[in-house]
Amino acid sequence: MKVTEESVDAIRELINIGVGKAAGLLNEMTGTHIRLQVPEVRVLQYTDLARENQLLEGNRLSAVTLNFSGPFSGMSMLIFPDRSAALLIAALTGETIAEADLDALRIETLSEVGNIVNNAVMGSLTNVLGERLVYSMPEYREGSITEILGRSRPGPYDWVILAVSRFIIEDLHVVGNILMVFEIGALDLLIEKIDRVMGSSA
Amino acid sequence: MNPVSFLSHCENLDILPAGVIIIRPDYLVTCWNRTVAEWTGIPREKALCRDLREIFPHLGERRYALRIQQVFEGGPAVFFSTQFHPHFIPAPLPGGGFRFQRTKVHPLVEGDRTYAFIFIDDVTELVQQVHSYRQMRNRALREIEERQKKEAERKTAEDALALANQKLNLLSSITRHDILNQVTALRILADLIEMERDPAAIADFAGKLKVLAGIIEEQVDFTRDYQEIGVREAIWQNVSETVRKVAESLSHPGVRIVNEPDTVEILADPLFERVIFNLLDNAFRYGGPSLSEIRVSRRMEGDSLIIVIEDNGAGIALPDKKNLFKRGFGKHTGLGLFLSREILAITGLEIRETGEPGKGARFEILVPPGRFRLSGHREIGRDDTAG
């Protein structure tokens, strides 16, 4: 599959629209001024994902996942490195968290943040493309990237969109990553549709 | 559209211990299960076909409405956490307060219509358990911190006790051994004086008696000084200022002391002045006829500061160097340099002698990082040296 710079730009724009909406919702919900930025979007092969040591290292990543199926199928997830999740929750809730300890209530809180971001990004993609997808229940997972992906239906995954996202709350910068893992052929379909829609709107 | 098309399903949902509400895109209630009726006190027949926002006005707020709208538009399920939405619908508890809730809103498609299926879990017990767990955990962390603090205090007390014991042992050994030696010598001299008839020899013995008495006095002085080491808290002291004060108190005709005013300060026992006194006094006593200058300077060695006190006198003979700081070694009482080393060690400072025999003595005091600064608290860098 050939992914052109234009296609990546279009995906970046759609993800940015999504995270912008998510930031707005988080602001309204928490009363805290949050900015969400996506400084980097890359398309890579699923088999290369485990090599993303810089962004996905650690044995205690926290992820909120969402499976989708329809014209293009796969899985979307918001994934945080160790400690970042606890830092983000502390900043959003005003709690003092002595250690990176995620108890049941904090996991719920993170799940809601992940739910907002995943839904907004998926909403942004499907709205522009005019597609309807079927979604699974959102799920919280913990572990290394291999463990997190391993708990999914062993789909014949193919390509991945990796969007580095940055939550900025006052002086705090927390990095999370949005991963969209596509089943074989799904990203081709998505890009084809994006090109068609962007082409017709150009 | 039949607003109660889910009524039969709704009755099936009565067996669930969770609250279930189903609404149409216009928020008209089409299902209100028994749990919700029990929680809210609003019976099903009074809730059905009513706008949910009329029953619970806060659900019309953007933070709810925007997300529920996503569900009607075919988006994924929406999750409302206990943290941000503890009471999705007000459900009073019999003993006061409200139930804590965790809520999910799913799309439910019937024909071409999408409904919102609101599933509300009562997590009051879980919230209480988590809060108790957090309290327990915080208490445990505080206790650990308290124990560590007490352990550190115990260690400090033990160290102080060990130091005190060490001093006591030494003092006792000095008083018993060293002073008794001098007293024995005094007795011998007294016997000699009794037997001696020659006035010149008697005068000579009397002179020696005075010397011995002087040594005993110095040993007693030493015990007092030694007792005081570590008793008072370490303080920041200006090195050149201390040298200046000590030099003024000592008579040194014909010997120039080169001690440029400097702002370097070290953290040392208040008896540091005694160290400088010993070093200068030793130079005057044993420097010999060639002694004409004592120079005080400083330099950096790695991250440590080195204070150098050197002279151009006779220097220290090679065989003497290794025993120089041992108690009892030396030409006089053998206590001065030993005491100096002990005083410096209290704050982690070390002393060594690096001079060349015949060319002069050179004492170097090694001050580790964190134990020296310039007045005004500026740290001294590697290139910051002064003579």
XYZ file of all heavy atoms in Angstrom, chain B residues 245-338:
730
model
N 42.692 35.886 62.196
C 42.487 36.006 63.641
C 43.554 35.217 64.430
O 44.141 35.701 65.390
C 41.096 35.467 64.005
C 40.063 36.585 64.108
C 38.629 36.100 64.099
C 38.292 35.100 65.162
N 36.910 34.600 64.987
N 43.799 33.973 63.956
C 44.762 33.113 64.663
C 46.166 33.698 64.550
O 46.914 33.752 65.547
C 44.717 31.674 64.100
C 45.846 30.833 64.675
C 43.372 31.023 64.392
N 46.528 34.160 63.351
C 47.881 34.701 63.120
C 48.132 35.894 64.034
O 49.248 36.067 64.566
C 48.041 35.100 61.662
N 47.097 36.712 64.254
C 47.244 37.884 65.119
C 47.535 37.487 66.563
O 48.204 38.207 67.290
C 45.952 38.716 65.073
C 45.935 39.695 63.896
C 44.620 40.445 63.789
O 43.800 40.362 64.734
O 44.411 41.079 62.741
N 47.007 36.307 66.970
C 47.172 35.884 68.370
C 48.528 35.218 68.623
O 48.885 34.967 69.763
C 46.046 34.926 68.767
O 46.234 33.689 68.119
N 49.243 34.889 67.539
C 50.534 34.220 67.695
C 51.662 35.210 67.385
O 51.539 36.016 66.478
C 50.644 33.037 66.727
C 49.784 31.814 67.048
C 49.731 30.904 65.833
C 50.376 31.049 68.223
N 52.776 35.072 68.154
C 53.882 35.980 67.853
C 54.801 35.293 66.845
O 55.165 34.130 67.015
C 54.598 36.338 69.163
O 55.878 35.817 69.179
N 55.145 35.983 65.785
C 55.960 35.362 64.738
C 56.904 36.378 64.108
O 56.795 36.710 62.922
C 55.062 34.719 63.667
C 53.948 35.604 63.232
N 54.073 36.519 62.241
C 52.680 35.701 63.682
C 52.927 37.144 62.070
N 52.061 36.664 62.934
N 57.835 36.866 64.902
C 58.755 37.850 64.330
C 59.577 37.251 63.193
O 60.028 36.110 63.285
C 59.651 38.232 65.521
C 59.486 37.130 66.513
C 58.162 36.519 66.291
N 59.660 37.975 62.121
C 60.475 37.523 60.981
C 59.767 36.526 60.072
O 60.346 36.066 59.084
N 58.542 36.167 60.363
C 57.808 35.226 59.491
C 56.603 35.951 58.877
O 55.788 36.532 59.587
C 57.325 33.983 60.281
C 56.543 33.052 59.351
C 58.495 33.255 60.916
N 56.574 35.916 57.530
C 55.485 36.601 56.830
C 54.341 35.601 56.591
O 54.589 34.472 56.147
C 56.015 37.108 55.483
C 55.079 38.071 54.772
C 55.843 38.771 53.657
N 56.003 37.878 52.504
C 55.270 37.969 51.392
N 54.350 38.904 51.284
N 55.475 37.154 50.399
N 53.131 36.014 56.894
C 51.992 35.134 56.612
C 51.230 35.691 55.413
O 50.724 36.815 55.450
C 51.069 35.001 57.838
C 51.834 34.302 58.968
C 49.798 34.211 57.479
C 51.045 33.954 60.184
N 51.234 34.919 54.321
C 50.534 35.348 53.098
C 49.120 34.756 53.133
O 48.941 33.550 52.997
C 51.291 34.882 51.830
C 50.573 35.378 50.574
C 52.726 35.352 51.862
N 48.164 35.620 53.359
C 46.771 35.163 53.512
C 45.864 36.222 52.923
O 45.378 37.122 53.595
C 46.484 34.948 55.009
C 45.016 34.687 55.283
O 44.364 33.948 54.564
N 44.484 35.312 56.343
N 45.658 36.139 51.574
C 44.847 37.151 50.907
C 43.399 37.037 51.382
O 42.894 35.930 51.569
C 44.886 36.927 49.383
C 46.261 37.096 48.758
C 46.804 38.509 48.882
O 45.992 39.456 48.894
O 48.039 38.656 49.008
N 42.729 38.177 51.577
C 41.316 38.099 51.958
C 40.541 37.312 50.894
O 40.768 37.471 49.701
C 40.856 39.558 51.985
C 42.107 40.354 52.076
C 43.191 39.554 51.420
N 39.709 36.433 51.327
C 38.992 35.546 50.398
C 37.581 35.336 50.939
O 37.350 35.430 52.148
C 39.744 34.205 50.335
C 39.225 33.316 49.221
O 38.385 33.791 48.440
O 39.664 32.156 49.150
N 36.644 35.013 50.048
C 35.254 34.866 50.507
C 34.859 33.403 50.706
O 33.708 33.108 50.995
C 34.280 35.506 49.492
O 34.562 34.946 48.224
C 34.396 37.001 49.472
N 35.842 32.488 50.557
C 35.454 31.081 50.672
C 35.119 30.727 52.123
O 35.790 31.136 53.059
C 36.545 30.142 50.094
C 37.775 30.088 50.962
C 35.985 28.743 49.907
N 34.005 29.983 52.259
C 33.568 29.547 53.587
C 33.454 28.022 53.589
O 33.091 27.421 52.569
C 32.194 30.139 53.916
C 32.217 31.638 54.135
C 30.836 32.206 54.457
O 29.829 31.536 54.184
O 30.787 33.324 54.971
N 33.745 27.436 54.738
C 33.577 25.982 54.844
C 32.661 25.663 56.020
O 32.575 26.431 56.977
C 34.928 25.233 54.984
C 35.638 25.652 56.275
C 35.817 25.476 53.788
C 36.794 24.729 56.613
N 31.986 24.523 55.906
C 31.114 24.079 56.997
C 31.949 23.173 57.897
O 32.347 22.081 57.484
C 29.911 23.316 56.422
C 28.842 22.912 57.434
C 28.153 24.133 58.022
C 27.798 22.003 56.785
N 32.233 23.654 59.089
C 33.130 22.892 59.977
C 32.713 23.078 61.433
O 31.952 23.988 61.774
C 34.570 23.355 59.776
N 33.243 22.196 62.257
C 33.011 22.292 63.697
C 33.517 23.661 64.169
O 34.523 24.164 63.655
C 33.787 21.155 64.387
C 33.439 21.026 65.842
O 33.976 21.806 66.660
O 32.619 20.142 66.157
N 32.844 24.251 65.187
C 33.306 25.563 65.668
C 34.768 25.540 66.140
O 35.406 26.592 66.234
C 32.360 25.873 66.823
C 31.129 25.107 66.522
C 31.572 23.862 65.820
N 35.323 24.343 66.383
C 36.733 24.271 66.811
C 37.715 24.346 65.633
O 38.912 24.120 65.817
C 36.976 22.970 67.581
C 36.377 22.901 68.986
C 36.495 21.503 69.539
C 37.059 23.891 69.903
N 37.223 24.669 64.446
C 38.096 24.758 63.264
C 39.261 25.735 63.516
O 40.381 25.529 63.049
C 37.267 25.186 62.046
C 38.082 25.434 60.817
C 38.751 24.391 60.181
C 38.202 26.715 60.285
C 39.521 24.624 59.050
C 38.967 26.948 59.153
C 39.627 25.898 58.542
N 38.959 26.778 64.274
C 39.992 27.766 64.585
C 41.192 27.085 65.274
O 42.344 27.461 65.059
C 39.373 28.822 65.515
C 40.176 30.081 65.614
C 39.466 31.135 66.457
O 38.301 31.463 66.177
O 40.104 31.617 67.410
N 40.874 26.064 66.077
C 41.918 25.330 66.783
C 42.834 24.580 65.795
O 44.037 24.454 65.991
C 41.255 24.347 67.754
C 42.193 23.503 68.569
C 42.974 24.369 69.552
N 44.039 23.625 70.163
C 44.049 23.226 71.430
N 43.043 23.530 72.202
N 45.064 22.559 71.911
N 42.245 24.131 64.673
C 43.023 23.434 63.632
C 44.047 24.400 63.047
O 45.242 24.077 62.917
C 42.100 22.900 62.516
C 42.886 22.266 61.380
C 41.083 21.912 63.090
N 43.576 25.583 62.699
C 44.462 26.590 62.108
C 45.556 26.964 63.112
O 46.733 27.088 62.760
C 43.644 27.844 61.681
C 42.587 27.450 60.622
C 44.547 28.958 61.167
C 43.156 26.960 59.302
N 45.135 27.103 64.388
C 46.112 27.438 65.428
C 47.219 26.384 65.469
O 48.410 26.706 65.476
C 45.398 27.527 66.794
C 46.333 27.787 67.939
C 46.648 29.083 68.314
C 46.926 26.728 68.637
C 47.538 29.327 69.363
C 47.816 26.968 69.674
C 48.118 28.275 70.042
N 46.823 25.100 65.471
C 47.812 24.018 65.554
C 48.771 24.054 64.367
O 49.979 23.857 64.530
C 47.105 22.654 65.583
C 46.505 22.367 66.947
O 46.982 22.885 67.949
N 45.457 21.572 66.976
N 48.211 24.269 63.158
C 49.051 24.240 61.958
C 50.058 25.400 61.971
O 51.248 25.209 61.676
C 48.194 24.280 60.694
C 47.271 23.061 60.494
C 46.402 23.222 59.249
C 48.095 21.769 60.389
N 49.600 26.607 62.350
C 50.511 27.750 62.384
C 51.522 27.593 63.531
O 52.727 27.849 63.359
C 49.727 29.058 62.540
C 48.778 29.440 61.390
C 48.200 30.831 61.625
C 49.484 29.412 60.039
N 51.004 27.140 64.676
C 51.872 26.964 65.846
C 52.981 25.947 65.546
O 54.150 26.157 65.896
C 50.996 26.501 67.018
C 51.782 26.470 68.323
O 52.485 27.466 68.599
O 51.717 25.447 69.043
N 52.607 24.841 64.860
C 53.594 23.822 64.484
C 54.664 24.409 63.574
O 55.854 24.101 63.699
C 52.924 22.651 63.760
C 52.332 21.672 64.746
O 52.558 21.787 65.950
N 51.561 20.715 64.241
N 54.218 25.243 62.624
C 55.178 25.852 61.693
C 56.175 26.698 62.462
O 57.394 26.624 62.225
C 54.435 26.686 60.657
N 55.676 27.512 63.423
C 56.582 28.367 64.201
C 57.530 27.536 65.061
O 58.719 27.823 65.183
C 55.782 29.314 65.107
C 54.955 30.302 64.335
C 53.665 30.611 64.738
C 55.461 30.928 63.196
C 52.902 31.516 64.034
C 54.700 31.835 62.490
C 53.410 32.132 62.904
N 56.954 26.444 65.662
C 57.763 25.640 66.588
C 58.866 24.854 65.870
O 59.974 24.751 66.339
C 56.876 24.611 67.297
C 56.139 25.140 68.497
C 55.259 24.017 69.062
N 54.282 24.530 69.995
C 54.507 24.663 71.305
N 55.673 24.321 71.807
N 53.573 25.143 72.086
N 58.446 24.235 64.707
C 59.375 23.264 64.103
C 59.898 23.678 62.724
O 60.565 22.896 62.069
C 58.691 21.885 63.988
C 58.015 21.478 65.278
C 56.636 21.308 65.351
C 58.779 21.288 66.439
C 56.012 20.965 66.537
C 58.163 20.944 67.634
C 56.785 20.777 67.677
O 56.187 20.452 68.852
N 59.553 24.895 62.315
C 59.982 25.338 60.974
C 61.490 25.535 60.872
O 62.062 25.481 59.776
N 62.104 25.776 62.003
C 63.551 25.949 61.996
C 63.983 27.318 61.496
O 63.144 28.176 61.188
N 65.304 27.531 61.393
C 65.823 28.868 61.032
C 65.453 29.308 59.620
O 65.395 30.501 59.332
C 67.338 28.715 61.165
C 67.612 27.256 61.244
C 66.371 26.554 61.685
N 65.177 28.342 58.719
C 64.864 28.746 57.329
C 63.436 29.294 57.177
O 63.091 29.853 56.142
C 65.044 27.545 56.383
O 64.124 26.528 56.728
N 62.612 29.120 58.214
C 61.208 29.546 58.085
C 61.099 31.064 57.989
O 61.513 31.792 58.890
C 60.394 29.061 59.298
C 58.921 29.494 59.291
C 58.124 28.659 58.292
C 58.315 29.375 60.687
N 60.557 31.542 56.856
C 60.345 32.979 56.725
C 58.950 33.304 56.175
O 58.515 34.443 56.185
C 61.403 33.576 55.790
O 61.254 33.006 54.503
N 58.260 32.259 55.701
C 56.930 32.550 55.115
C 55.972 31.384 55.307
O 56.352 30.214 55.170
C 57.085 32.829 53.612
C 55.768 33.239 52.956
C 55.945 33.518 51.471
O 56.488 34.586 51.138
O 55.546 32.657 50.663
N 54.731 31.718 55.650
C 53.647 30.724 55.673
C 52.581 31.244 54.705
O 52.165 32.402 54.801
C 53.029 30.560 57.085
C 54.103 30.122 58.090
C 51.882 29.551 57.058
C 53.640 30.114 59.533
N 52.187 30.362 53.772
C 51.257 30.826 52.734
C 49.959 30.011 52.804
O 50.004 28.778 52.905
C 51.909 30.653 51.353
C 51.036 31.028 50.172
C 51.809 30.863 48.877
N 52.824 31.910 48.737
C 52.582 33.089 48.174
N 51.396 33.352 47.667
N 53.544 33.986 48.081
N 48.837 30.708 52.754
C 47.528 30.035 52.756
C 46.877 30.269 51.395
O 46.819 31.402 50.914
C 46.609 30.588 53.876
C 45.266 29.849 53.888
C 47.284 30.468 55.227
N 46.449 29.196 50.750
C 45.810 29.349 49.430
C 44.736 28.276 49.264
O 44.569 27.423 50.138
C 46.857 29.214 48.320
O 47.447 27.926 48.386
N 44.058 28.318 48.145
C 43.067 27.270 47.875
C 43.056 26.926 46.390
O 43.439 27.744 45.551
C 41.671 27.700 48.320
C 41.073 28.843 47.507
C 39.622 29.033 47.860
N 39.091 30.326 47.466
C 38.508 30.562 46.297
N 38.443 29.616 45.387
N 38.034 31.758 46.022
N 42.585 25.702 46.093
C 42.446 25.289 44.691
C 41.366 24.219 44.642
O 40.910 23.712 45.683
C 43.771 24.756 44.136
C 44.235 23.467 44.766
C 45.371 22.811 43.956
N 45.478 21.400 44.288
C 46.166 20.925 45.315
N 46.831 21.762 46.102
N 46.192 19.627 45.565
N 40.926 23.892 43.428
C 39.917 22.833 43.265
C 40.618 21.550 42.853
O 41.593 21.563 42.105
C 38.887 23.203 42.195
C 37.979 24.366 42.545
S 37.015 24.114 44.042
C 35.924 22.783 43.526
N 40.134 20.440 43.352
C 40.631 19.122 42.926
C 39.381 18.284 42.650
O 38.712 17.851 43.589
C 41.480 18.509 44.042
C 42.242 17.284 43.591
C 43.194 16.804 44.698
O 44.265 17.397 44.878
O 42.832 15.839 45.380
N 39.042 18.128 41.372
C 37.754 17.502 41.024
C 36.645 18.394 41.536
O 36.658 19.610 41.299
N 35.731 17.825 42.301
C 34.635 18.617 42.854
C 34.941 19.118 44.263
O 34.104 19.749 44.888
C 33.353 17.755 42.916
C 32.845 17.451 41.519
O 33.107 18.272 40.616
O 32.212 16.398 41.331
N 36.136 18.775 44.771
C 36.467 19.145 46.148
C 37.337 20.396 46.186
O 38.073 20.702 45.242
C 37.224 17.998 46.825
O 36.399 16.871 46.928
N 37.227 21.093 47.310
C 38.064 22.272 47.537
C 39.264 21.836 48.386
O 39.118 21.027 49.298
C 37.251 23.319 48.300
C 38.014 24.548 48.784
C 38.285 25.507 47.625
C 37.236 25.267 49.875
N 40.432 22.357 48.032
C 41.625 22.055 48.828
C 42.129 23.368 49.428
O 42.405 24.318 48.706
C 42.768 21.450 47.951
C 42.247 20.297 47.075
C 43.944 21.030 48.817
C 41.938 19.022 47.809
N 42.244 23.391 50.743
C 42.839 24.553 51.416
C 44.284 24.158 51.744
O 44.533 23.109 52.350
C 42.079 24.894 52.714
C 40.636 25.280 52.375
C 42.771 26.021 53.476
C 39.726 25.275 53.574
N 45.224 25.009 51.300
C 46.644 24.672 51.462
C 47.293 25.637 52.455
O 47.151 26.851 52.327
C 47.380 24.758 50.090
C 48.840 24.341 50.238
C 46.672 23.905 49.050
N 47.975 25.070 53.453
C 48.752 25.895 54.396
C 50.188 25.374 54.330
O 50.469 24.251 54.758
C 48.179 25.783 55.826
C 46.738 26.299 55.813
C 49.032 26.569 56.819
C 45.952 25.993 57.045
N 51.059 26.152 53.702
C 52.432 25.654 53.478
C 53.461 26.660 53.988
O 53.196 27.856 54.049
C 52.646 25.335 51.997
C 52.389 26.501 51.076
C 52.320 26.082 49.611
O 53.010 25.117 49.231
O 51.581 26.740 48.860
N 54.622 26.132 54.343
C 55.676 27.034 54.806
C 56.993 26.676 54.099
O 57.056 25.675 53.371
C 55.815 26.967 56.327
C 56.219 25.591 56.824
O 57.252 25.061 56.355
O 55.504 25.022 57.684
N 58.012 27.506 54.317
C 59.319 27.238 53.690
C 60.352 26.835 54.739
O 61.532 27.127 54.612
C 59.794 28.442 52.875
C 59.944 29.689 53.739
O 59.580 29.666 54.929
N 60.452 30.762 53.177
N 59.842 26.151 55.802
C 60.731 25.737 56.890
C 61.393 24.396 56.608
O 61.582 23.986 55.447
N 61.652 23.647 57.702
C 62.402 22.385 57.603
C 61.594 21.270 56.961
O 62.164 20.314 56.416
C 62.850 21.969 58.993
N 60.260 21.361 57.068
C 59.422 20.295 56.496
C 59.352 19.088 57.421
O 59.926 19.076 58.518
N 58.627 18.068 56.967
C 58.418 16.861 57.776
C 59.294 15.748 57.211
O 59.258 15.483 56.009
C 56.936 16.405 57.736
C 55.968 17.590 57.959
C 56.660 15.256 58.702
C 55.905 18.141 59.352
N 60.048 15.109 58.076
C 60.920 14.007 57.624
C 60.052 12.859 57.109
O 58.972 12.595 57.654
C 61.783 13.535 58.787
N 60.529 12.213 56.052
C 59.736 11.148 55.408
C 59.242 10.081 56.390
O 58.054 9.730 56.370
C 60.553 10.497 54.282
C 60.509 11.217 52.931
C 61.388 10.477 51.919
C 59.079 11.342 52.417
N 60.087 9.546 57.286
C 59.606 8.483 58.194
C 58.472 8.958 59.121
O 57.689 8.151 59.594
C 60.845 8.121 59.012
C 62.000 8.703 58.289
C 61.507 9.866 57.527
N 58.419 10.274 59.373
C 57.411 10.801 60.313
C 56.033 10.982 59.663
O 55.026 11.091 60.355
C 57.849 12.166 60.870
C 59.086 12.037 61.753
O 59.390 10.875 62.131
O 59.715 13.060 62.043
N 56.028 11.038 58.319
C 54.792 11.444 57.631
C 53.612 10.513 57.927
O 52.493 10.961 58.132
C 55.017 11.512 56.119
C 55.769 12.761 55.731
C 55.782 12.934 54.234
C 56.537 14.198 53.870
N 55.742 15.129 53.104
N 53.890 9.174 57.950
C 52.765 8.254 58.070
C 52.147 8.262 59.472
O 51.001 7.848 59.646
C 53.163 6.825 57.659
C 54.230 6.198 58.513
C 54.517 4.792 58.035
C 55.633 4.210 58.903
N 56.118 2.963 58.474
N 52.923 8.722 60.464
C 52.394 8.740 61.842
C 51.976 10.127 62.313
O 51.596 10.304 63.461
C 53.459 8.213 62.816
C 53.811 6.770 62.507
O 52.923 5.953 62.284
N 55.102 6.469 62.464
N 52.048 11.077 61.391
C 51.904 12.480 61.765
C 50.612 12.792 62.521
O 50.597 13.609 63.435
C 51.964 13.314 60.478
C 52.417 14.753 60.587
C 53.758 14.848 61.304
C 52.517 15.373 59.205
N 49.511 12.123 62.104
C 48.205 12.464 62.696
C 47.783 11.476 63.774
O 46.645 11.493 64.211
C 47.142 12.544 61.590
C 47.438 13.620 60.585
C 48.040 13.333 59.373
C 47.140 14.946 60.876
C 48.337 14.324 58.462
C 47.431 15.951 59.974
C 48.039 15.643 58.764
N 48.712 10.599 64.166
C 48.378 9.631 65.214
C 48.531 10.291 66.581
O 49.432 11.105 66.783
C 49.285 8.400 65.123
C 48.908 7.505 63.964
C 49.718 6.239 64.002
C 49.339 5.366 62.801
N 50.352 4.348 62.570
N 47.681 9.865 67.524
C 47.733 10.440 68.867
C 49.054 10.049 69.550
O 49.466 8.893 69.468
C 46.552 9.932 69.686
C 46.435 10.573 71.062
C 45.166 10.145 71.736
N 45.159 8.723 72.013
C 45.748 8.157 73.067
N 46.383 8.907 73.940
N 45.690 6.866 73.256
N 49.685 11.009 70.150
C 50.895 10.735 70.911
C 52.165 10.837 70.087
O 53.269 10.783 70.630
N 52.004 11.029 68.750
C 53.201 11.130 67.919
C 53.594 12.599 67.783
O 52.736 13.454 67.556
C 52.943 10.530 66.533
C 54.171 10.542 65.664
C 55.125 9.535 65.780
C 54.398 11.588 64.769
C 56.269 9.572 64.993
C 55.548 11.622 63.993
C 56.480 10.603 64.109
N 54.873 12.889 67.943
C 55.301 14.268 67.731
C 56.317 14.678 68.773
O 56.600 13.951 69.724
N 56.825 15.890 68.524
C 57.903 16.350 69.385
C 57.383 16.971 70.685
O 58.091 17.052 71.667
C 58.740 17.385 68.629
C 59.498 16.767 67.463
C 60.176 17.846 66.639
C 60.830 17.227 65.414
N 61.189 18.231 64.424
N 56.123 17.438 70.663
C 55.595 18.127 71.852
C 54.649 17.169 72.585
O 55.075 16.106 73.017
C 54.903 19.416 71.385
C 54.546 20.362 72.476
N 55.415 20.722 73.463
C 53.384 21.027 72.730
C 54.810 21.572 74.276
N 53.573 21.766 73.850
N 53.371 17.479 72.649
C 52.443 16.570 73.342
C 51.958 15.457 72.429
O 51.441 14.444 72.885
C 51.193 17.335 73.827
O 50.555 17.898 72.683
C 51.538 18.400 74.835
N 52.086 15.654 71.132
C 51.592 14.646 70.184
C 50.079 14.624 70.089
O 49.500 13.627 69.668
N 49.454 15.739 70.467
C 47.996 15.771 70.457
C 47.423 16.747 69.425
O 46.296 16.600 68.972
C 47.458 16.165 71.848
C 47.784 15.170 72.968
C 47.386 15.749 74.311
C 47.091 13.850 72.737
N 48.208 17.740 69.051
C 47.706 18.820 68.187
C 47.175 18.358 66.856
O 46.035 18.655 66.493
N 47.973 17.604 66.105
C 47.538 17.188 64.768
C 46.450 16.123 64.845
O 45.550 16.072 64.000
C 48.734 16.687 63.946
C 49.674 17.790 63.470
C 50.884 17.192 62.756
C 48.968 18.787 62.560
N 46.548 15.277 65.893
C 45.493 14.276 66.097
C 44.158 14.983 66.332
O 43.132 14.674 65.709
C 45.851 13.397 67.302
C 44.710 12.557 67.782
C 44.298 11.444 67.059
C 44.017 12.882 68.940
C 43.232 10.676 67.493
C 42.950 12.116 69.364
C 42.556 11.015 68.647
